[in-house]
Amino acid sequence: MPLLKSWVASANSADHPFPLNNLPYGVFWTRQKIEDLEWDAPHCGVAIGDMILDITALEGEYFEYGEPVFDVGCWNAFMELGSDVWAEFREKVIKMLEENSPYQTEIEPHLYPIADAQMELPIAVREYTDFYAGRNHAFNVGTMFRGPENALPPNWLHIPIGYNGRASSVVVSGTDVRRPWGQLKSPDHDLPAFLPCRRFDLELEMGAIVGTASNGPITVQEADDNIFGYVLLNDWSARDIQAWEYQPLGPFQAKSTATSISPWIITKPALEPFRTDTPEREFELLDHLKDCGPMLYDIDLAVTLAPEGKDSTTITRTNYKEMYYSAAQQLAHHTTAGTPMNVGDLLGSGTISGATKPERGSLLELSWGGKEPLTLDTGETRTFLEDGDTLTLTGAAKGDGYTIGFGACTGTVLPALKDPYAR
C-alpha cells in the first residue's frame, strides 16, 4: 500500500510518523480549553500529521453509537462496540481526512496542533500482565545468572512466561519516574537493608491492548482478532530489589514502580502491511498456541538516554520481529485457565533484544550485569540509570513512501525520596 494523501499537508511526508495510513488514537487536552472552561475533561483524538482531530467534538453529528462513547477521556467505551464498528470508524475518518475530502471545511476547525496538546493515557487500564517472551533477552539474562547451558528454563520454549503486574503503575509518556526504595541484599552481607534502588533499569517492550472481552479459553486467531492496537512500553525495573525478592514467586516490588506507555494507540489495520513470522522453533508448540499466520510485525525500535541537561545517545536499536511469542499467543495462553480478559487490559511483550550487543533492550544486558559499562556520546558511562536520566523509546514501521510511527515513550528518573515515610 502506498502513501495515502491527506488535505493535512504535514501528513504527506514519507518520514512523518502520522500519515493517513496510520491514524493513531489518543486522549488530549489543551491548556487554553481547560482554562476557558470549554472542556471539563480530556478529549479523544486521532493524530494526522502535526495535528489532532477532535473526535469528542465530532460525536453526535458525525459519529453516532446510540449513546456517547468519546466523552469519558479514554477509548474503552469505543473499544467495547466491537471490531465492525472499529473498521467503520477508521473508514469514516479516512474519508474525512483524505485529499479532496468534502468534509474538509466542516472539520478543519476541530484540528489542534500536537505541539499544543497535553497527552493522557489513551485507555483506562483494567489489568496489566507483563511477559518474558523475547528469546535473546531471556537467554542473556539466564546466561548471566545460570550459565549458557541452563539459560532458558525448561518451560520457556513451550509457553510464554508472564506475571501479573499493577495496572495502577501504568503512566503515560512524559511522566517522571521516581527511583524506588526496597530491600537490597548484597552477597557480602548476611542481612538485607532498606535502601534506594541502586540498579534501576529500563526494558524496551511493546504493549498490546485488549479491545474485546473474553471469558474462557480463546484460540490464537480469536486472540489476534481481540487485540485493538499497540503502544510502546517501558517496564521500569529495579534489578537489585528483584534479585532479592524474585525467588520463589517472581517479580513483585521490582516491577511496581512504573510502566510507561506511549500516548498513541497504533491500530492493527495500520500495522497489517508489516506482519511477519515468528522465529523458527526448536519444539513444535501445542495446538492451542500454534501460529495461525504471520503473528509479529516488522517495527524498528530504538532507545535513547540523555543525562540531565545533556544530549542524548542512542543506546540500542532492535525490532519487534525478534520476539519468540506474539501478543496473540500471549493473550491466548493467558486465557487457557479460564482467565476473564477485559476491554482495556494491557499485555507487555517482554524485553525486545536482538542477537547482537547493540540490539539489547535493557541496561542489564548492555552492561552485562554492570560488568561492562556503556559509554555515552557525552563521554559518561552507565551500568544502570542515574538520577536525571531521560529515556526515550521510539518505534516505526517503514512502508512504501510512508512511515507508521508510534510517538515517543519518555520518562525521566527522579531521585529517591530522602525519607519515604515522612508525612
Side-chain angles (χ1 to χ4, degrees):
M1 177 185 294
L3 171 69
L4 302 177
K5 290 294 186 72
S6 171
W7 55 264
V8 179
S10 59
N12 297 328
S13 166
D15 297 321
H16 200 287
F18 302 142
L20 191 58
N21 304 63
N22 194 347
L23 298 179
Y25 304 157
V27 170
F28 77 106
W29 55 273
T30 71
R31 186 171 302 281
Q32 194 63 47
K33 290 294 184 181
I34 296 294
E35 289 179 352
D36 293 346
L37 302 180
E38 293 184 42
W39 295 359
D40 57 6
H43 282 202
C44 291
V46 174
I48 177 70
D50 294 332
M51 309 297 285
I52 304 175
L53 179 62
D54 185 352
I55 298 299
T56 299
L58 298 177
E59 187 168 20
E61 184 174 358
Y62 295 95
F63 306 105
E64 178 58 59
Y65 301 114
E67 58 183 36
V69 297
F70 295 120
D71 64 345
V72 291
C74 66
W75 285 80
N76 294 54
F78 173 76
M79 290 190 287
E80 290 176 354
L81 298 177
S83 57
D84 289 344
V85 173
W86 305 347
E88 292 169 4
F89 174 83
R90 179 177 171 83
E91 183 178 351
K92 181 69 174 289
V93 175
I94 289 175
K95 289 180 178 179
M96 286 179 161
L97 295 169
E98 66 187 357
E99 195 173 45
N100 301 318
S101 169
Y103 295 97
Q104 178 176 349
T105 301
E106 302 169 31
I107 70 172
E108 196 163 11
H110 299 289
L111 287 174
Y112 296 88
I114 290 178
D116 295 341
Q118 173 69 47
M119 304 304 298
E120 301 291 341
L121 282 173
I123 61 169
V125 181
R126 293 289 303 277
E127 307 282 355
Y128 167 52
T129 304
D130 193 32
F131 286 87
Y132 184 58
R135 177 165 186 175
N136 294 314
H137 172 71
F139 183 81
N140 287 338
V141 174
T143 297
M144 282 182 229
F145 294 104
R146 295 182 296 274
E149 65 283 352
N150 295 309
L152 296 179
N155 60 354
W156 200 95
L157 295 172
H158 299 275
I159 57 172
I161 297 172
Y163 67 92
N164 289 312
R166 291 285 303 176
S168 62
S169 75
V170 179
V171 297
V172 73
S173 171
T175 305
D176 293 336
V177 176
R178 190 170 293 282
R179 183 181 300 274
W181 284 70
Q183 276 202 20
L184 314 182
K185 168 69 167 64
S186 62
D188 53 347
H189 287 82
D190 294 331
L191 296 174
F194 187 63
L195 297 167
C197 170
R198 295 169 175 172
R199 294 163 69 92
F200 204 37
D201 201 359
L202 77 139
E203 290 194 359
L204 168 60
E205 303 191 21
M206 295 281 290
I209 296 171
V210 176
T212 302
S214 59
N215 192 10
I218 60 175
T219 67
V220 172
Q221 183 60 63
E222 289 170 330
D224 192 59
D225 294 340
N226 286 6
I227 294 173
F228 182 67
Y230 292 82
V231 293
L232 300 175
L233 186 150
N234 184 355
D235 176 29
W236 301 88
S237 300
R239 300 298 185 187
D240 42 7
I241 296 174
Q242 184 177 357
W244 174 237
E245 74 174 4
Y246 84 101
Q247 295 186 26
L249 295 181
F252 184 46
Q253 294 297 78
K255 301 282 190 172
S256 294
T257 300
T259 299
S260 299
I261 65 171
S262 51
W264 295 105
I265 303 170
I266 311 304
T267 62
K268 282 198 307 178
L271 293 172
E272 202 62 31
F274 307 99
R275 280 191 180 264
T276 188
D277 292 321
T278 48
E280 291 186 17
R281 305 187 186 281
E282 288 84 343
F283 300 97
E284 186 175 3
L285 297 177
L286 297 182
D287 288 345
H288 68 287
L289 286 178
K290 284 183 179 178
D291 299 275
C292 55
M295 304 304 296
L296 291 174
Y297 299 98
D298 183 0
I299 303 169
D300 290 325
L301 302 168
V303 178
T304 65
L305 189 158
E308 186 172 9
K310 298 181 181 179
D311 292 339
S312 63
T313 299
T314 299
I315 60 172
T316 191
R317 294 185 186 276
T318 186
N319 193 291
Y320 183 50
K321 65 185 178 182
E322 293 288 349
M323 297 305 298
Y324 195 80
Y325 296 100
S326 67
Q329 287 165 320
Q330 293 169 348
L331 177 54
H333 176 63
H334 208 334
T335 69
T336 54
T339 305
M341 303 302 296
N342 308 302
V343 172
D345 283 354
L346 176 66
L347 306 181
S349 64
T351 305
I352 305 166
S353 294
T356 66
K357 185 172 183 177
E359 300 173 277
R360 296 172 183 172
S362 67
L363 281 172
L364 176 67
E365 297 167 87
L366 287 166
S367 72
W368 205 250
K371 298 176 181 178
E372 302 172 8
L374 181 70
T375 300
L376 306 179
D377 293 345
T378 60
E380 300 173 60
T381 61
R382 289 291 185 277
T383 52
F384 293 95
L385 298 175
E386 296 188 7
D387 295 344
D389 286 349
T390 296
L391 278 297
T392 302
L393 281 56
T394 56
K398 289 288 187 177
D400 179 12
Y402 68 95
T403 300
I404 300 297
F406 279 72
C409 178
T410 66
T412 299
V413 180
L414 299 181
L417 295 171
K418 291 184 179 180
D419 180 356
Y421 296 105
R423 297 291 184 268

